[in-house]
Amino acid sequence: MDILEILMHPQNLDLAYFCLLGVLGSCLISFLPALHIYNVIGIFLLVILKYENAMEAMQLVALSTGMIVGYSILNTVPATYFGPGDESLSYYVLPSAQWVALGRGYESVILTGIGALTGMIVLALCAPIFIWILPGLKTITSPHMFWILGAVIAYMILSEWPKGIAQSKSNWANFFEGWGFLSVGIITFILSSLLGFIVMSKTMVPLGFAFQSITPVFVGLFALPWLITNIINVGIIPPQHEAKSLDLEWEVISKATFGGFLGGFYAAFIPIVTAGIGGLMAGHATAQRDTRVFIMSYGACKTVYYVGSFLLFFIPGLSLTRGGLAWIVTPFVTSLTLKEYAIFVGLMLFSTGVSFLLLTPFTKMCIRLVEIIDYHLLSVIAFFIVVPAVYAYTGGGGLAIMTVATGIGLLPVLFQARRMNLMAVLLFPVTVSMAGYGDTVLRFLGLL
Amino acid sequence: MKGLTHFISGIAVATFFPQAVHMASQEQSFIFCLGGIFGILPDTLDFKFARYFHTSDFEIKPDPDNLDAHQIASIVAQSLEKANASGRSSVQLHTMQLGANLWRSYTLGFDSKTSEVVVDIGPLVDTGQTPFMGTEPKEKASARVKVNCRFFQEFDKKSNIAIMSGPCFEFIRRGEGNVEIVFLPWHRTWSHSATLGILIALVVGVISYFTVPEGLHADMYAIPRWLLYPLIIFFGSLVHIIEDSTGFMGNNLFYPFTADRTKGLGFMSAAEAVPNFFFVWTSIICMLYNLDRFRWAPELTPAGIPNPESFFFWFYALPCAVMLYLFLRGKNQKEARKSVKAEGNESDFDGPTSVEKETDASII
């Protein structure tokens, strides 16, 4: 009842207003082509923080909650039709692109939305349990985080299987064909790791925008290769069918929610691990086979990852800061009690409901846009927005990093390797640094 | 089982060594990853190496411009009859790639009740195996070819041959006029043997004996540090073999002393969700418990699991009970479907173990 009292108290209704504002803002942000969520929110908050004196800490939290929940649910729409902005999205886009090609893009988006909705409900239900279990989990895993990340890297590399049709008479020719694909993945991993070490040791962007130093890397690795592919793609988006209803069994919903929640929570709890990696591992752990389950579980995974990492910040006594948004609000939130945690969970559910209601009109609007304007043209426009934006915020240095990153990002796209290997840009340098070998590697590379 | 299941089980096995836990937390050692890497190694060896060096007696490369189901079925039947005559034979089926993202699919089944090889040519599919409806061929799309021997196999399932590389079958004569069908004959043989695990552990043991110095507080441990490496490698690969043995395909445990794969225990199918998750969850619980009970300086650092009994009840016994319920429910549903088919005298091409016949290597 205490929680209800807190939520229904007129004093707290302003939080609902800011939360709603955040969700509506996320609609706009979701449409900004091919940019990583935290970079966009970072810039957005820079503008908002001019009104810092007029806003209380919890109002900022409400605004951020609305934005992160709205973004994590609504960004599926432009990602499906125009291309993904980060690794977490690119994991989903490949299967969803197949549905778009079959005229079922709308269905795919709604399935993802249902997954996000159920994922958030489970996250809210687990919120009280987290207070009980997470301190113990943190105590156990904290000294071991570096090798857990090392294990993630090892699995990412080892679990990529050879492709190719193996129809040559020569066994060796078949072997080299299969390993050609694997080699691209391994080369992508190595190059991304090197880029990560360079970016982390040598700041090439203006100091005033140091918080955006990773932006050109992500734009280059994930966003631009996708836009370039869209531009040179000869295919067309077929007419999209707007399904009136969805045929979903409870078994599919529960399987997808369970797998997605597992992956999202794993990604939220373990630093650097994204929803794409978490989703892959949870998908393997629960042996997912059905495409519907995959798409829905992706919705749950991505939302639980983005929002869950923010939720961890509010658990009283846990002191766990995960994800860019938690770091952004850290200076403004000084006390964290059960009250703030309960308010956050309430705001999270409120934003989820609003975002889900917005999903259908948002998707229909996107479909109209694709019907009216050629998506090649949209991709060209997006390209010419992104590149100058990166230059404006990060200067010539940022542009140089972006160009190199684009070259690396194109490798898996052109040679059908896993795009997940690009995440080595953060995974490998951070793992090595956490294990205490960072300086040794930097010295070896001549960067220190 | 899925690669992740083997990988995480290998890590879990490594956490049973207190010295390894201390090496990880106090010396930033990645020793646990060794367990994971060798846990997944048997499948890595098969799908990244062994498959490329297996040669078959017959190869089927269907012509996409002249589709003929009968022709495909006849070659498979020929291979079966050769095995019946000479003891062994194998056939490799290839896919039909029509474009960068376009393939022609077909299925192959073995109807043991009528001793017929069954081939159906299916629709065009994309690389995600999404079919393009209405693209099925109108003529010569289905064929049944009778063979002059009986045959049997562990799985009654049509193999769907659509994308990437196709499957391989080996036929082995077992008694007069009776042929066993072995799916993916290059899989789970030498790579999935205890012999290989022992051999690698021996080699690593010799190297580590001469190169790994004893660590600090050596008197705390029963096992010398150099021995940790071969033991983690051996148990990591052994747990893979044990997990695979719970399925249907089995392993060749003592290659080269044993010639063929032995049957699995048949408790569960390798690609089923619940068994995979059961092993993953068991591994996670073991890892957390071991990392906590073997933590460095337990008298100075608080326990993450203050009450192990309650931990095991809430986080292991209870989830296991739910998993058992779901597993048995799924099994009963499949049995019910199977009995309906049996009553109709149909071949059970969708048996409970069917998933093991995927041509997609990543799911096996």
Side-chain angles (χ1 to χ4, degrees):
Chain A
M1 289 311 286
D2 285 349
I3 294 170
L4 263 181
E5 218 168 274
I6 292 166
L7 291 176
M8 299 311 294
H9 199 286
Q11 243 180 1
N12 290 330
L13 285 180
D14 61 328
L15 300 183
Y17 163 76
F18 278 103
C19 200
L20 189 66
L21 212 61
V23 174
L24 294 174
S26 72
C27 290
L28 295 175
I29 295 171
S30 301
F31 245 108
L32 287 180
L35 280 178
H36 192 272
I37 177 173
Y38 296 138
N39 303 130
V40 182
I41 289 184
I43 296 167
F44 191 75
L45 284 179
L46 268 186
V47 179
I48 293 293
L49 290 181
K50 285 182 182 167
Y51 306 98
E52 188 184 351
N53 294 334
M55 279 174 88
E56 287 175 16
M58 280 313 285
Q59 289 171 341
L60 178 68
V61 166
L63 186 81
S64 308
T65 308
M67 281 166 72
I68 192 83
V69 173
Y71 192 101
S72 65
I73 294 176
L74 297 171
N75 70 351
T76 309
V77 185
T80 302
Y81 291 99
F82 309 124
D86 67 5
E87 190 276 333
S88 298
L89 277 169
S90 63
Y91 178 63
Y92 151 77
V93 161
L94 289 177
S96 83
Q98 284 160 10
W99 282 45
V100 172
L102 294 170
R104 295 172 67 189
Y106 178 79
E107 205 180 325
S108 158
V109 170
I110 300 300
L111 276 179
T112 318
I114 296 170
L117 188 70
T118 53
M120 294 305 282
I121 291 169
V122 175
L123 189 66
L125 290 173
C126 287
I129 303 169
F130 286 160
I131 301 172
W132 172 47
I133 61 166
L134 288 192
L137 190 63
K138 188 192 165 193
T139 306
I140 296 169
T141 54
S142 288
H144 298 280
M145 219 39 113
F146 72 95
W147 72 255
I148 294 175
L149 287 177
V152 169
I153 292 172
Y155 183 70
M156 266 171 58
I157 295 172
L158 286 169
S159 67
E160 184 160 18
W161 302 105
K163 295 187 183 79
I165 54 173
Q167 293 189 5
S168 169
K169 284 278 175 208
S170 157
N171 292 341
W172 282 104
N174 292 333
F175 176 77
F176 288 123
E177 183 201 15
W179 268 83
F181 290 98
L182 286 181
S183 308
V184 173
I186 293 166
I187 289 167
T188 306
F189 187 91
I190 294 169
L191 291 176
S192 302
S193 305
L194 280 173
L195 182 68
F197 278 115
I198 293 167
V199 171
M200 284 185 185
S201 60
K202 306 272 178 198
T203 308
M204 291 172 75
V205 302
L207 284 177
F209 283 95
F211 73 99
Q212 293 283 12
S213 64
I214 205 75
T215 303
V217 178
F218 269 85
V219 169
L221 290 179
F222 297 105
L224 288 188
W226 202 275
L227 289 177
I228 292 168
T229 319
N230 274 358
I231 293 166
I232 59 175
N233 193 353
V234 289
I236 50 157
I237 294 182
Q240 297 294 301
H241 171 67
E242 289 174 20
K244 294 279 177 278
S245 64
L246 285 177
D247 192 13
L248 274 180
E249 303 89 28
W250 279 108
E251 198 179 338
V252 171
I253 297 174
S254 49
K255 266 186 191 173
T257 307
F258 179 69
F261 179 81
L262 214 64
F265 177 74
Y266 180 75
F269 188 77
I270 307 288
I272 310 297
V273 172
T274 58
I277 300 169
L280 172 95
M281 296 184 93
H284 286 191
T286 53
Q288 283 173 4
R289 293 292 294 153
D290 190 321
T291 321
R292 287 179 308 166
V293 172
F294 176 86
I295 288 178
M296 269 188 72
S297 85
Y298 168 74
C301 180
K302 170 180 69 120
T303 316
V304 171
Y305 159 65
Y306 282 131
V307 186
S309 53
F310 196 36
L311 176 136
L312 294 176
F313 173 74
F314 291 93
I315 297 177
L318 188 66
S319 309
L320 202 61
T321 313
R322 295 273 188 262
L325 196 57
W327 286 108
I328 290 169
V329 300
T330 302
F332 307 100
V333 182
T334 46
S335 80
L336 285 169
T337 62
L338 267 180
K339 182 187 167 189
E340 276 81 27
Y341 187 46
I343 290 174
F344 173 81
V345 175
L347 292 172
M348 181 184 93
L349 286 174
F350 175 69
S351 326
T352 305
V354 175
S355 307
F356 188 73
L357 291 175
L358 283 174
L359 192 63
T360 307
F362 196 57
T363 313
K364 285 182 178 172
M365 191 184 78
C366 226
I367 292 173
R368 299 286 169 275
L369 200 65
V370 172
E371 281 169 355
I372 298 165
I373 310 169
D374 178 42
Y375 88 100
H376 294 92
L377 182 64
L378 279 174
S379 302
V380 172
I381 294 168
F383 185 89
F384 285 107
I385 291 173
V386 171
V387 176
V390 169
Y391 179 71
Y393 280 112
T394 61
L399 214 56
I401 295 170
M402 187 190 72
T403 310
V404 174
T406 305
I408 300 171
L410 278 170
L411 279 175
V413 176
L414 297 178
F415 296 99
Q416 297 167 39
R418 256 192 204 159
R419 284 164 67 100
M420 202 173 282
N421 289 313
L422 296 168
M423 270 311 289
V425 74
L426 290 181
L427 261 178
F428 196 69
V430 171
T431 306
V432 168
S433 299
M434 282 173 91
Y437 306 118
D439 285 354
T440 315
V441 175
L442 287 176
R443 249 181 240 116
F444 175 75
L445 294 172
L447 293 165
L448 203 64
Chain B
M1 291 290 156
K2 291 288 230 179
L4 182 77
T5 310
H6 298 310
F7 185 80
I8 206 163
S9 305
I11 294 177
V13 165
T15 61
F16 278 91
F17 295 94
Q19 188 171 188
V21 177
H22 295 164
M23 283 167 71
S25 66
Q26 301 305 305
E27 299 169 36
Q28 276 69 50
S29 164
F30 284 92
I31 191 163
F32 290 135
C33 297
L34 203 63
I37 291 166
F38 279 85
I40 202 174
L41 186 78
D43 283 346
T44 304
L45 290 173
D46 276 354
F47 288 100
K48 292 183 182 172
F49 298 96
R51 64 183 294 195
Y52 294 110
F53 300 101
H54 179 269
T55 39
S56 299
D57 302 319
F58 294 87
E59 277 196 59
I60 299 176
K61 268 190 204 173
D63 180 1
D65 298 322
N66 184 21
L67 294 167
D68 188 351
H70 190 268
Q71 196 181 25
I72 299 168
S74 299
I75 300 173
V76 177
Q78 230 178 304
S79 183
L80 264 163
E81 279 169 359
K82 185 188 171 200
N84 188 36
S86 64
R88 273 177 195 262
S89 175
S90 58
V91 60
Q92 170 71 48
L93 292 109
H94 289 298
T95 52
M96 290 179 263
Q97 186 169 20
L98 307 173
N101 190 27
L102 193 65
W103 310 75
R104 167 70 69 184
S105 66
Y106 64 103
T107 59
L108 167 70
F110 297 95
D111 191 340
S112 52
K113 284 177 184 150
T114 58
S115 291
E116 285 175 327
V117 175
V118 186
V119 172
D120 290 304
I121 297 177
L124 297 173
V125 297
D126 65 12
T127 309
Q129 301 215 44
T130 311
F132 294 97
M133 295 305 172
T135 56
E136 295 85 353
K138 302 278 182 294
E139 291 170 359
K140 300 181 184 173
S142 297
R144 279 179 167 264
V145 174
K146 202 165 180 67
V147 289
N148 297 325
C149 60
R150 292 185 307 279
F151 49 74
F152 66 97
Q153 59 176 337
E154 284 306 308
F155 333 96
D156 284 329
K157 165 74 176 172
K158 278 183 179 174
S159 280
N160 187 29
I161 301 137
I163 62 160
M164 299 302 167
S165 53
C168 176
F169 292 88
E170 186 172 33
F171 307 117
I172 306 167
R173 189 177 62 202
R174 304 278 187 210
E176 200 53 43
N178 209 11
V179 174
E180 183 186 357
I181 300 166
V182 177
F183 178 57
L184 300 185
W186 43 263
H187 185 34
R188 297 196 189 177
T189 57
W190 58 271
S191 62
H192 286 59
S193 65
T195 328
L196 183 74
I198 292 169
L199 201 68
I200 295 175
L202 276 175
V203 173
V204 172
V206 170
I207 296 167
S208 64
Y209 181 77
F210 289 107
T211 56
V212 176
E214 201 52 81
L216 294 169
H217 312 290
D219 52 317
M220 282 173 65
Y221 311 108
I223 298 167
R225 183 173 286 206
W226 68 266
L227 197 55
L228 269 185
Y229 295 90
L231 284 179
I232 287 176
I233 285 171
F234 176 66
F235 285 117
S237 61
L238 191 67
V239 79
H240 182 129
I241 298 166
I242 293 169
E243 283 169 347
D244 277 352
S245 299
T246 59
F248 288 84
M249 198 183 255
N251 301 293
N252 190 346
L253 284 175
F254 301 107
Y255 178 90
F257 308 107
T258 45
D260 294 316
R261 269 191 324 226
T262 50
K263 280 180 192 168
L265 297 168
F267 295 150
M268 53 194 76
S269 169
E272 273 183 78
V274 177
N276 267 286
F277 189 69
F278 167 75
F279 283 117
V280 171
W281 190 247
T282 304
S283 303
I284 291 171
I285 292 299
C286 288
M287 275 160 62
L288 291 175
Y289 181 62
N290 288 337
L291 293 181
D292 190 52
R293 71 177 168 140
F294 295 141
R295 71 188 180 279
W296 185 253
E299 64 286 351
L300 300 175
T301 42
I305 304 169
N307 186 345
E309 290 80 16
S310 137
F311 170 76
F312 276 106
F313 175 76
W314 289 106
F315 296 104
Y316 194 61
L318 217 58
C320 281
V322 175
M323 282 187 257
L324 183 68
Y325 165 74
L326 292 172
F327 178 69
L328 292 176
R329 195 186 67 167
K331 205 166 185 164
N332 288 340
Q333 283 172 347
K334 279 173 190 167
E335 288 298 327
R337 280 201 297 268
K338 200 174 179 182
S339 61
V340 168
K341 280 188 178 176
E343 278 169 25
N345 208 23
E346 284 176 48
S347 291
D348 177 28
F349 280 139
D350 293 298
T353 60
S354 58
V355 271
E356 290 202 346
K357 302 212 76 175
E358 289 289 341
T359 55
D360 173 8
S362 66
I363 75 117
I364 294 179

